[in-house]
Amino acid sequence: MKRKSVIFDLDGTIWQTVDTVVDAWNDVLQQYPQLKLRMDYQTMCSFMGRTFDEIMRMYFGELPRELALELMDKCHQQENMRLSSVGGVLYAGVEQTLQKLRRQYRLFIVSNCQIEYIQTFFDCHGLGKYFDDYEVYGRTGLPKGETIKLLIERNDALPAVYVGDTLWDYQSSQAAGIPFIFAAYGFGSVPAHLPRVESFEQLPDLLPTVL
């Protein structure tokens, strides 16, 4: 019998990296004192789930495009270096839950991150072995809904559900034509009627009611 699929968002769903990424950005921004920019926790939280281009417009939108691209590239390089050495913070029970889910479901990741970021995640925590495939904005350049569809088609992954923590994740799952589970412990909010988990560890109990 064909196994059903669970497709995960990354930030705010599987791990949290805000403190490390804030420090990495500020390492770069202090090299440009004339800009008088400094990253903080709340601002970075508002960027979680956004694409490279969206973040650049939101934070560096007043700067010349060439400088904005330079800063974004340097910030992403620095955050990957930091995360490679210290890792991110996995939510409680992530690996144990992935082990349990893997017995029954095919597991995937679709994120709006860059390719280097997801590779850093796999390298830091050794969780790549649990996932059949992944796709990211940094490789497709597509809206997340289209990226989800691309991954589904490539892997013949229906029926599937998307697990994420923001309204954009919910909208992306709708665009891809699959159900959604809200990771309520993450960064965002969604309509109250949607199925949700208060911790990653609750997924095995909820999934059979959604898929």
Side-chain angles (χ1 to χ4, degrees):
M1 180 182 293
K2 182 180 177 183
R3 286 191 297 163
K4 298 173 181 179
S5 301
V6 184
I7 308 172
F8 293 94
D9 174 50
L10 181 53
D11 287 309
T13 302
I14 297 176
W15 76 344
Q16 197 269 86
T17 63
V18 176
D19 289 324
T20 302
V21 173
V22 166
D23 289 342
W25 277 56
N26 283 328
D27 284 348
V28 173
L29 293 174
Q30 69 181 1
Q31 301 170 28
Y32 298 80
Q34 72 278 14
L35 299 179
K36 298 180 180 178
L37 290 173
R38 185 166 181 82
M39 182 55 66
D40 59 58
Y41 184 91
Q42 291 302 323
T43 301
M44 184 56 67
C45 285
S46 73
F47 292 161
M48 291 295 156
R50 301 280 190 174
T51 67
F52 180 99
D53 293 326
E54 288 172 333
I55 295 169
M56 185 172 70
R57 286 195 299 270
M58 291 170 70
Y59 198 67
F60 298 124
E62 301 299 317
L63 301 178
R65 180 171 175 79
E66 184 175 341
L67 177 58
L69 283 169
E70 175 185 319
L71 286 163
M72 285 294 293
D73 285 339
K74 286 186 175 182
C75 287
H76 280 292
Q77 289 172 19
Q78 185 66 17
E79 70 183 45
N80 285 324
M81 286 179 58
R82 281 288 190 98
L83 288 168
S84 293
S85 62
V86 303
V89 179
L90 294 176
Y91 289 107
V94 162
E95 183 159 15
Q96 297 91 330
T97 303
L98 290 175
Q99 288 174 340
K100 185 175 182 179
L101 293 176
R102 179 74 176 167
R103 300 185 195 113
Q104 185 174 354
Y105 303 97
R106 301 173 69 197
L107 307 181
F108 303 91
I109 294 176
V110 171
S111 171
N112 272 339
C113 66
Q114 300 299 100
I115 293 175
E116 297 84 357
Y117 187 82
I118 198 164
Q119 290 295 346
T120 299
F121 163 70
F122 288 145
D123 292 344
C124 282
H125 298 289
L127 299 180
K129 61 190 175 186
Y130 298 111
F131 297 96
D132 287 45
D133 195 6
Y134 70 89
E135 196 52 271
V136 295
Y137 172 82
R139 186 159 59 189
T140 69
L142 296 171
K144 186 178 271 190
E146 295 303 310
T147 301
I148 293 171
K149 283 197 243 181
L150 189 156
L151 178 131
I152 288 172
E153 291 167 6
R154 185 166 72 219
N155 292 279
D156 187 23
L158 291 177
V161 62
Y162 192 73
V163 183
D165 68 303
T166 68
L167 181 62
W168 309 296
D169 289 333
Y170 168 54
Q171 292 168 340
S172 297
S173 71
Q174 287 190 305
I178 61 173
F180 176 76
I181 292 175
F182 176 50
Y185 52 86
F187 294 111
S189 59
V190 299
H193 69 276
L194 293 173
R196 66 188 58 214
V197 289
E198 300 297 332
S199 71
F200 197 88
E201 297 163 307
Q202 292 178 358
L203 277 169
D205 291 331
L206 181 62
L207 279 166
T209 71
V210 177
L211 267 180

